[in-house]
Amino acid sequence: MGKTTKNLKHMADLIFNNATLIIFTWDLDGRITSMNSYGEKITGYSEEELIGNFWVELFLGEEKDKINDLIECIKAGKDTKDVLSTLWRTRHNQMIDLMWTNSPIYDSNENIVEMMSFGTDITENNALLKKLNRLAYYDDLTNLPNRKLAEEHVDKVIERCDKHNKKTAFLTLGIDNLQQVSDTIGYEVANTLLKFIALELEENDNINYVSKLNEGEFGILIYDIEGREEVKKKAEELLLSIRQPLVDEGYNFIVNASIGISIYPDYGNDFSQLMKHSNIAMCKAKENGSNGYLFYNKTMKREIEKNIFIVNNIEYSIGMGHLSLHYQPIIDLKDNSIHGFEALIRWFHPKKGYIPPMEFISTIEESGQIINLTTMILESAFRQKSLWNKKGYKDMKIGINLSIKSFQKGNIYEEIEKLLEKYDISPKEIVLELTETAFVKSLNICDDTLKKMRDLGLEIALDDFGTGYSSLARLSKLSLGYLKIDKSFIDPIKEGNNEEALLKHIINLGHSLNLKLVAEGVETKEQMELLRRLGCDLFQGYYFAKPMGADEAEEKFLFLREGI
Ligand code: C2E
Ligand code: CA
Ligand code: CA
């Protein structure tokens, strides 16, 4: 043997014995003829035990004839990866993932006598890849496909729909009380709740695909729908199926959920539109009360866009002075004198024009921006009042509307107290108007603030009376100053009709509680005169004057200080 050949043999031995690769040789029948020590270690068999065994049978448990395919491939120099599975079963029944390179060994006549295979253990790599894949495409908690995977899936569903002219319903199911559960009982229970719903949805035969979209929101598909009726029925059943009492470590509660539905291709042509629209419908369903479902429609979209506009623009508009107060006179029915003014907010947007308060107040109440607006309203009303006081227009009240959100804010009382002092105004000149619905909904929370305000000498008016079903017993406890009778009671009154009797009853009731009664939305002389006869104290309405700018109000009603 020459020196070089000797060296090569030595090198081959070194590789065979030390490489961290499985290296083994096998004859053309598939019988093992040698195995390196790394291969022994990985497979759990000694070389002695292995020699003479058919490796395919031993490690793969598969058919022997696959060997022939493999040999053909190797001979042809083709990629052999697909020919045989790379999963090997070890002596200890563990599955290992291997990646192979295979080479033929020739004799001196160039005949293939044996095969040599080199296998790299990629079990860990593959496990890592799988884990990464799970992280990227599945929700950790519920193991459901996440938004990304759902999107890929929806793309395919859409393609199929187009091909076969079918429709698919896209549902967003949102849990209404998840945050509440998380805040009051703890996030672990909220997680249990999510897992429970994920399971219920996965097992539901009515639906074809479930994914987890956002926190507390599931994306659901129903394929090949015939019409809305079918989807309606399934949505109802879905809501029922998850509305089971959930008992967890002593907690027992019912899951409340809402569903929004958009349909491909009627209400969106890709995943993001379908999802956006079903989400809009879900939010609307939630607003209408829990445990309902709604189909998306175009009006919802316009409403959402309007709300987004409001939220994005209100603060800038406040800063730019596009919001200001208008004043509507409140008239004393006894002598037609000006009792005071109600301050009403006006938003004139340079591009959109006039935006009525009914269109933005509730939106900014929800976004919390009402707090800033209330600060502006209070400041502006107090400044105006002090200006008028300085001009000598005294004994005249200013009514300020407070939404319950700003009333609940911790320091509204202090804010008002400071303003009274800053502008040197007597508290009895200020009337805070709170709607009846606000009172009914959440008065207990702010009872304390209310009491402090009354103690300070501020007066409180119950606004929109008649719309909120408050009880008489409760009203009497609030020590209010005024009841403002809602316009809907004034509109239909005519001498001698039922409404007249009802109004009379309200007025008497108010008086028995020592309240002053204000009729809202008086538009005709007849209404005014009838109210006077019924003993109503005050009124406001277009019949006398619409709300107007402070200067106009001053010019028309304060400068002369005449009655009508
Ligand atoms: P509200 O407090 O009941 O105010 C009375 C509403 O009736 C005002 O509408 C007023 O312009 C309107 N009105 C007065 N007389 C008549 C009439 O004879 N006929 C008709 N058809 N309407 C009349 P506006 O200014 O559009 O305000 C609507 C609501 O928005 C208010 O109802 C109040 O709830 C809220 N709002 C207005 N300004 C403010 C504010 O500064 N702060 C808060 N939190 N809410 C406000
Ligand atoms: Ca009011
Ligand atoms: Ca009102």
Side-chain angles (χ1 to χ4, degrees):
M1 224 187 277
K3 207 175 170 194
T4 346
T5 331
K6 220 170 148 186
N7 271 350
L8 275 177
K9 169 87 175 68
H10 180 62
M11 265 166 67
D13 282 348
L14 272 177
I15 292 170
F16 192 79
N17 293 324
N18 297 308
T20 48
L21 291 169
I22 297 178
I23 306 175
F24 76 108
T25 53
W26 42 288
D27 65 24
L28 298 186
D29 288 332
R31 268 187 288 251
I32 297 170
T33 52
S34 70
M35 173 68 78
N36 71 344
S37 51
Y38 185 76
E40 290 179 311
K41 197 175 114 199
I42 294 285
T43 61
Y45 297 102
S46 69
E47 188 180 30
E48 230 174 18
E49 287 173 297
L50 289 172
I51 287 175
N53 273 297
F54 294 101
W55 67 266
V56 173
E57 272 174 20
L58 187 66
F59 294 119
L60 306 179
E62 282 178 24
E63 293 298 302
K64 235 174 86 180
D65 45 316
K66 289 221 167 158
I67 288 285
N68 295 329
D69 294 346
L70 183 62
I71 294 172
E72 286 313 308
C73 268
I74 296 170
K75 272 194 207 161
K78 281 194 209 148
D79 194 355
T80 53
K81 257 194 285 183
D82 298 333
V83 183
L84 284 174
S85 151
T86 57
L87 265 189
W88 270 26
R89 185 183 295 282
T90 69
R91 177 181 212 143
H92 309 296
N93 254 339
Q94 259 179 327
M95 297 309 287
I96 48 170
D97 228 332
L98 298 160
M99 197 169 69
W100 292 102
T101 313
N102 303 295
S103 302
I105 301 173
Y106 300 92
D107 65 7
S108 47
N109 299 324
E110 301 278 305
N111 293 321
I112 297 179
V113 282
E114 276 196 316
M115 296 286 176
M116 186 177 248
S117 296
F118 305 85
T120 318
D121 184 356
I122 52 163
T123 313
E124 276 180 19
N125 287 17
N126 271 1
L128 189 67
L129 278 178
K130 273 188 196 147
K131 203 169 155 194
L132 287 176
N133 187 53
R134 273 215 87 72
L135 278 178
Y137 286 107
Y138 290 85
D139 177 59
D140 230 14
L141 182 75
T142 59
N143 276 330
L144 288 177
N146 66 9
R147 186 195 185 98
K148 203 163 166 202
L149 189 55
E151 181 166 4
E152 287 179 13
H153 182 76
V154 167
D155 287 347
K156 284 185 211 137
V157 171
I158 285 178
E159 236 172 71
R160 210 178 58 91
C161 278
D162 289 345
K163 210 162 142 197
H164 303 286
N165 210 7
K166 298 273 187 195
K167 292 187 175 195
T168 288
F170 194 107
L171 285 68
T172 297
L173 182 145
I175 306 165
D176 300 337
N177 50 348
L178 186 71
Q179 193 60 43
Q180 196 193 345
V181 169
S182 182
D183 289 348
T184 53
I185 317 180
Y187 78 93
E188 297 94 345
V189 181
N191 284 350
T192 313
L193 177 74
L194 283 171
K195 282 196 238 169
F196 160 79
I197 291 176
L199 257 170
E200 281 295 321
L201 293 177
E202 265 184 316
E203 283 170 5
N204 195 307
D205 295 334
N206 275 330
I207 56 185
N208 302 106
Y209 186 82
V210 193
S211 59
K212 172 92 184 312
L213 298 175
N214 302 316
E215 190 55 33
E217 277 173 29
F218 296 87
I220 295 163
L221 298 180
I222 305 175
Y223 303 155
D224 304 342
I225 53 158
E226 301 292 338
R228 280 176 169 232
E229 278 310 310
E230 176 194 345
V231 185
K232 262 186 189 176
K233 243 182 92 206
K234 289 185 172 170
E236 271 164 21
E237 280 170 19
L238 259 183
L239 286 171
L240 265 179
S241 77
I242 59 167
R243 243 181 98 71
Q244 302 167 12
L246 177 68
V247 184
D248 179 75
E249 290 167 24
Y251 296 109
N252 187 347
F253 51 84
I254 301 241
V255 182
N256 290 321
S258 304
I259 293 178
I261 307 162
S262 60
I263 289 175
Y264 179 82
D266 305 352
Y267 286 114
N269 46 27
D270 60 17
F271 172 79
S272 84
Q273 268 185 359
L274 288 162
M275 199 178 77
K276 197 168 103 193
H277 292 165
S278 66
N279 205 288
I280 288 175
M282 183 201 66
C283 293
K284 206 73 201 138
K286 221 181 247 196
E287 269 174 37
N288 291 354
S290 264
N291 295 307
Y293 62 88
L294 272 183
F295 284 85
Y296 170 78
N297 63 47
K298 289 243 164 69
T299 323
M300 287 180 190
K301 189 175 174 202
R302 276 196 294 274
E303 202 175 305
I304 296 278
E305 281 166 356
K306 197 188 78 197
N307 286 348
I308 292 173
F309 174 85
I310 288 165
V311 170
N312 286 342
N313 285 273
I314 186 94
E315 268 160 269
Y316 175 75
S317 275
I318 295 174
M320 291 299 286
H322 296 154
L323 283 105
S324 59
L325 287 177
H326 273 201
Y327 296 87
Q328 185 179 36
I330 299 170
I331 312 304
D332 197 320
L333 277 161
K334 270 199 298 300
D335 54 8
N336 290 342
S337 63
I338 307 277
H339 173 81
F341 290 90
E342 173 175 6
L344 293 156
I345 192 71
R346 293 293 174 260
W347 182 0
F348 295 100
H349 191 272
K351 284 208 184 96
K352 300 262 169 184
Y354 174 58
I355 307 173
M358 292 301 237
E359 282 185 18
F360 67 86
I361 294 280
S362 60
T363 307
I364 63 166
E365 267 188 289
E366 229 165 85
S367 69
Q369 291 163 312
I370 188 76
I371 308 279
N372 279 348
L373 182 66
T374 304
T375 301
M376 176 240 137
I377 289 170
L378 286 170
E379 176 74 35
S380 165
F382 275 74
R383 194 185 327 107
Q384 189 58 53
K385 175 69 181 141
S386 101
L387 248 163
W388 280 337
N389 280 356
K390 278 185 196 139
K391 289 188 179 176
Y393 312 133
K394 293 203 172 160
D395 306 323
M396 178 206 49
K397 311 224 180 209
I398 294 284
I400 301 171
N401 292 287
L402 284 184
S403 88
I404 197 73
K405 268 270 174 70
S406 40
F407 201 73
Q408 285 163 348
K409 187 188 150 200
N411 57 355
I412 185 101
Y413 171 80
E414 286 77 12
E415 211 173 322
I416 291 177
E417 205 183 21
K418 266 193 209 134
L419 286 168
L420 287 168
E421 198 177 318
K422 175 174 170 190
Y423 288 108
D424 189 24
I425 291 168
S426 152
K428 57 177 200 299
E429 293 181 301
I430 302 292
V431 181
L432 302 177
E433 298 195 4
L434 282 150
T435 64
E436 188 185 14
T437 9
F439 264 100
V440 172
K441 258 194 204 158
S442 36
L443 192 76
N444 291 338
I445 311 169
C446 44
D447 239 341
D448 232 26
T449 317
L450 192 68
K451 189 172 177 315
K452 279 201 309 195
M453 287 187 174
R454 272 189 326 247
D455 290 349
L456 188 67
L458 293 157
E459 282 197 285
I460 312 286
L462 186 64
D463 207 349
D464 302 345
F465 179 69
T467 58
Y469 312 104
S470 45
S471 80
L472 188 61
R474 225 172 142 211
L475 281 185
S476 62
K477 281 202 202 113
L478 297 173
S479 12
L480 301 163
Y482 300 86
L483 270 194
K484 298 191 79 170
I485 310 166
D486 193 65
K487 183 173 182 293
S488 56
F489 288 85
I490 311 298
D491 281 341
I493 49 162
K494 278 203 183 75
E495 192 109 38
N497 68 2
N498 283 345
E499 278 75 14
E500 186 198 338
L502 181 63
L503 211 56
K504 178 140 193 62
H505 178 70
I506 294 177
I507 293 169
N508 290 341
L509 182 99
H511 284 159
S512 72
L513 293 170
N514 265 335
L515 302 174
K516 280 211 159 78
L517 286 123
V518 190
E520 291 190 302
V522 175
E523 291 182 346
T524 66
K525 193 167 186 231
E526 292 70 43
Q527 287 171 340
M528 182 190 73
E529 281 171 354
L530 187 58
L531 284 160
R532 183 178 286 137
R533 253 179 285 133
L534 293 174
C536 185
D537 305 283
L538 305 155
F539 84 96
Q540 63 187 105
Y542 293 175
Y543 171 63
F544 185 76
K546 287 191 172 182
M548 60 192 77
D551 290 347
E552 195 183 343
E554 180 177 334
E555 211 171 282
K556 277 197 175 142
F557 303 109
L558 296 174
F559 188 57
L560 295 173
R561 223 59 219 292
E562 280 174 355
I564 32 175

